[in-house]
Amino acid sequence: HRDLHSFPTRRSSDLKSIRLPPIRVVVQVSSDAFMTVDTMVRKAQSFIETRRHGHITVRDVTRAVGTNHTTLGKRFQRELGVTLHQYLLRRRLAYAQERLLQGDASVERVALECGFPSVSYFSEVFTEVIGRRPGLVRRARLGSVTNGS
């Protein structure tokens, strides 16, 4: 058992930098949530998170926060770099993706749960934002379950 102080020490100028590529990146639901000091934006984010599984509007959010669309929109843009509508849509789609990956609901059911007026509109928006069609996301999950993954 060697004492920590018995190891040879090096000066920082003797050390070489080693860069390693990441093994993988794990994106979590909370990655873009609640990363601001603006209390109004955080309050809006909290409201959205607890209701992202349904149909909520920008108006619902502004009423819950006690402000107007212009004020909250400017704060979202300044703090998060996206509009309030974009943020709301992204959170609803993130929830939809989670539901599709669970594999226990059809694309139609997920679209309705997430407050989209039609499956075709949901599919169009999901594909544009997520980059894959919702049916493919669901089938990929179902395929991995049946293959023992």
Side-chain angles (χ1 to χ4, degrees):
H1 220 118
R2 291 177 67 176
D3 185 340
L4 183 62
H5 298 289
S6 66
F7 285 99
T9 59
R10 292 185 156 181
R11 294 187 315 257
S12 61
S13 61
D14 295 338
L15 298 177
K16 293 182 181 179
S17 177
I18 299 173
R19 294 180 186 253
L20 299 173
I23 296 171
R24 65 189 164 115
V25 176
V26 177
V27 178
Q28 297 182 352
V29 172
S30 62
S31 294
D32 63 348
F34 312 109
M35 300 299 287
T36 178
V37 296
D38 188 311
T39 56
M40 189 179 290
V41 171
R42 279 202 323 267
K43 187 175 179 182
Q45 288 175 306
S46 179
F47 179 83
I48 292 166
E49 283 305 305
T50 59
R51 291 161 183 82
R52 69 191 180 122
H53 59 279
H55 180 70
I56 58 172
T57 65
V58 168
R59 186 177 201 170
D60 295 331
V61 178
T62 58
R63 282 183 177 168
V65 174
T67 190
N68 61 55
H69 178 269
T70 303
T71 300
L72 192 56
K74 285 179 181 179
R75 287 177 177 225
F76 261 79
Q77 190 67 51
R78 183 184 68 228
E79 295 294 320
L80 303 175
V82 295
T83 66
L84 175 55
H85 181 264
Q86 288 170 329
Y87 182 86
L88 180 57
L89 182 62
R90 287 180 186 176
R91 300 310 303 144
R92 287 171 60 204
L93 289 171
Y95 177 77
Q97 187 172 21
E98 291 170 23
R99 288 290 291 127
L100 291 168
L101 288 170
Q102 289 171 359
D104 64 341
S106 67
V107 172
E108 181 177 13
R109 181 171 166 195
V110 171
L112 295 175
E113 281 179 12
C114 294
F116 287 88
S118 70
V119 178
S120 61
Y121 178 67
F122 167 71
S123 295
E124 178 184 328
V125 173
F126 187 94
T127 303
E128 183 178 322
V129 174
I130 303 297
R132 294 181 71 197
R133 293 193 332 250
L136 291 177
V137 171
R138 185 174 182 276
R139 280 193 294 278
R141 167 62 180 150
L142 292 175
S144 68
V145 169
T146 58
N147 292 335
S149 297

